[in-house]
Amino acid sequence: MREKLENIRIKALEAIQDATDLKTFEDLRVNYLGKKGELTAALRGMKDLSKEERPVIGQVANEVREKVEQALASKKEALESAAQNKALQDEIIDITMSGKKMPVGKLHPLDQTLEEIQRIFMGMGYEVISGREVETSYYNFDALNLGPQHPARDEQDTFYFTPDIVLRTCTSPSQVHTMENQSLPIRMVAPGKVYRSDEVDATHSPVFHQIEGLVIDENITFGDLKGVLLEFAKRFFGDKVTLKFRPHYFPFTEPSAEVDVSCVMCEGSGCSVCKQEGFIEVLGCGMVHPKVLEMAGIDSTKYQGFAFGMGVERLTMLKYNINDLRLFYENDVRFLDQF
């Protein structure tokens, strides 16, 4: 038995020393120390020894087992360290190399302009109101003093679902809803999509964006309107811009005006963008018509107000010198990446 145990020790230590990978190592461990391993089988044979031989052989067996376990532990550590080093070598990352730049998304230029406009007016104390894109004829026309015979109600200008339900042609219905449902005073802007039956070309689209503003309070004058629009223009286009108000007609305001801003390209000296006029039309405005106030349930003898409206696409085109509205909707990344 002593000789057998010694042979197992020599054989096991040599095999462990020669092991080159963890799989071979694990096979050796099971082969010698497993339930059916050689050393385990030899130890089971100790029951056949005499009482005098058992202590002696038992001591030898324990020594052999201890040496094999020590050799296995040492070899396992060496093999695991070697495997880790190989993995590190195979999976090495050169941290000195430049990383791959991932493209970062951004807001569409129209959304950027819309957010900038809203920030300017919120900074002046205005509330942003969202409205419905599908409206009744009453709120889209009648409540804005657009009578039954007004040309804006023609089918060639407006998208009708039924004679009484339309896609809104402006964001003004949001102003009417606000006047009916909100306590005075009112200071709000209403941004959103609007729809008109236009052919698509460089300056027209059946779907576009507007933002309209409304102020209702006591003792409001046209001078207040001019001051607000001048402050907006300077914040949006820069401190050097000037405004020009031209008399105009809108059914929902009286008096009414078209507003021109000094050309941001030539600073008013005249160029191809402003057609040598030095000014470019940007929006319409006026004092809210007393009839519109009365239809919304507001006493026009006590309260006055002003309103204004502007196209987001037009303002964006002017600010960035874009000459074709269709570029906003063609999803050409080469164009959109510039903003």
Side-chain angles (χ1 to χ4, degrees), residues 201-271:
D201 58 30
T203 56
H204 296 85
S205 170
V207 183
F208 57 101
H209 298 76
Q210 276 191 342
I211 183 165
E212 300 193 19
L214 174 71
V215 172
I216 304 290
D217 203 348
E218 297 183 55
N219 303 314
I220 297 296
T221 68
F222 202 93
D224 298 315
L225 170 60
K226 293 180 69 175
V228 167
L229 294 181
L230 181 60
E231 180 67 16
F232 163 74
K234 287 184 176 296
R235 293 192 189 183
F236 187 79
F237 291 111
D239 289 334
K240 294 182 179 181
V241 299
T242 57
L243 297 184
K244 180 171 67 175
F245 289 77
R246 292 180 288 105
H248 196 74
Y249 169 73
F250 297 115
F252 34 84
T253 54
E254 180 60 37
S256 306
E258 293 275 15
V259 180
D260 301 336
V261 63
S262 56
C263 181
V264 294
M265 300 302 167
C266 64
E267 297 184 359
S269 61
C271 65

Side-chain angles (χ1 to χ4, degrees), residues 229 232 250 257-260 281-285 308-311 314:
L229 294 181
F232 163 74
F250 297 115
E258 293 275 15
V259 180
D260 301 336
E281 179 186 323
V282 289
L283 59 90
C285 66
F308 54 86
M310 58 193 85
R314 181 166 181 77

Side-chain angles (χ1 to χ4, degrees), residues 41-53:
L43 293 175
R44 288 198 187 102
M46 290 182 62
K47 67 179 183 297
D48 298 327
L49 299 174
S50 65
K51 291 182 180 181
E52 293 77 13
E53 291 179 313

Side-chain angles (χ1 to χ4, degrees), residues 72-333:
L72 285 169
S74 178
K75 191 64 176 181
K76 181 180 182 181
E77 184 179 353
L79 290 174
E80 287 179 342
S81 178
Q84 184 180 37
N85 290 335
K86 185 177 185 304
L88 291 173
Q89 186 64 33
D90 293 342
E91 301 169 9
I92 190 168
I93 299 174
D94 187 354
I95 60 174
T96 64
M97 293 179 64
S98 300
K100 294 182 178 179
K101 185 177 181 180
M102 300 299 292
V104 179
K106 61 183 74 173
L107 286 176
H108 190 278
L110 293 179
D111 289 320
Q112 292 182 38
T113 298
L114 195 55
E115 285 201 358
E116 183 179 0
I117 296 171
Q118 290 178 127
R119 283 196 302 269
I120 291 172
F121 281 105
M122 284 191 292
M124 291 191 282
Y126 284 66
E127 180 183 6
V128 178
I129 301 292
S130 297
R132 299 180 291 230
E133 294 183 19
V134 178
E135 272 291 356
T136 64
S137 294
Y138 173 78
Y139 283 104
N140 199 77
F141 298 119
D142 297 296
L144 298 170
N145 202 28
L146 295 168
Q149 305 305 318
H150 195 279
R153 303 180 77 135
D154 292 344
E155 289 187 3
Q156 63 262 34
D157 293 322
T158 303
F159 293 105
Y160 283 88
F161 291 102
T162 71
D164 295 322
I165 304 296
V166 302
L167 284 174
R168 67 180 180 184
T169 58
C170 56
T171 55
S172 298
S174 300
Q175 299 176 347
V176 179
H177 288 297
T178 302
M179 286 190 287
E180 289 182 343
N181 300 313
Q182 187 169 307
S183 58
L184 298 174
I186 293 171
R187 186 180 285 107
M188 54 86 76
V189 288
K193 288 181 183 177
V194 297
Y195 306 85
R196 295 181 190 175
S197 185
D198 282 331
E199 295 291 334
V200 177
D201 58 30
T203 56
H204 296 85
S205 170
V207 183
F208 57 101
H209 298 76
Q210 276 191 342
I211 183 165
E212 300 193 19
L214 174 71
V215 172
I216 304 290
D217 203 348
E218 297 183 55
N219 303 314
I220 297 296
T221 68
F222 202 93
D224 298 315
L225 170 60
K226 293 180 69 175
V228 167
L229 294 181
L230 181 60
E231 180 67 16
F232 163 74
K234 287 184 176 296
R235 293 192 189 183
F236 187 79
F237 291 111
D239 289 334
K240 294 182 179 181
V241 299
T242 57
L243 297 184
K244 180 171 67 175
F245 289 77
R246 292 180 288 105
H248 196 74
Y249 169 73
F250 297 115
F252 34 84
T253 54
E254 180 60 37
S256 306
E258 293 275 15
V259 180
D260 301 336
V261 63
S262 56
C263 181
V264 294
M265 300 302 167
C266 64
E267 297 184 359
S269 61
C271 65
S272 60
V273 175
C274 62
K275 300 178 181 179
Q276 307 303 323
E277 295 182 0
F279 283 85
I280 302 174
E281 179 186 323
V282 289
L283 59 90
C285 66
M287 300 299 292
V288 179
H289 198 291
K291 187 175 180 180
V292 174
L293 293 174
E294 295 292 345
M295 283 191 289
I298 297 174
D299 184 356
S300 62
T301 63
K302 181 178 181 181
Y303 293 97
Q304 304 80 39
F306 62 76
F308 54 86
M310 58 193 85
V312 177
E313 280 83 352
R314 181 166 181 77
L315 289 175
T316 309
M317 292 171 73
L318 289 174
K319 187 167 187 177
Y320 298 110
N321 194 20
I322 299 168
N323 59 8
D324 195 325
L325 181 146
R326 291 169 291 191
L327 292 169
F328 292 128
Y329 301 103
E330 292 175 347
N331 294 324
D332 190 330
V333 176

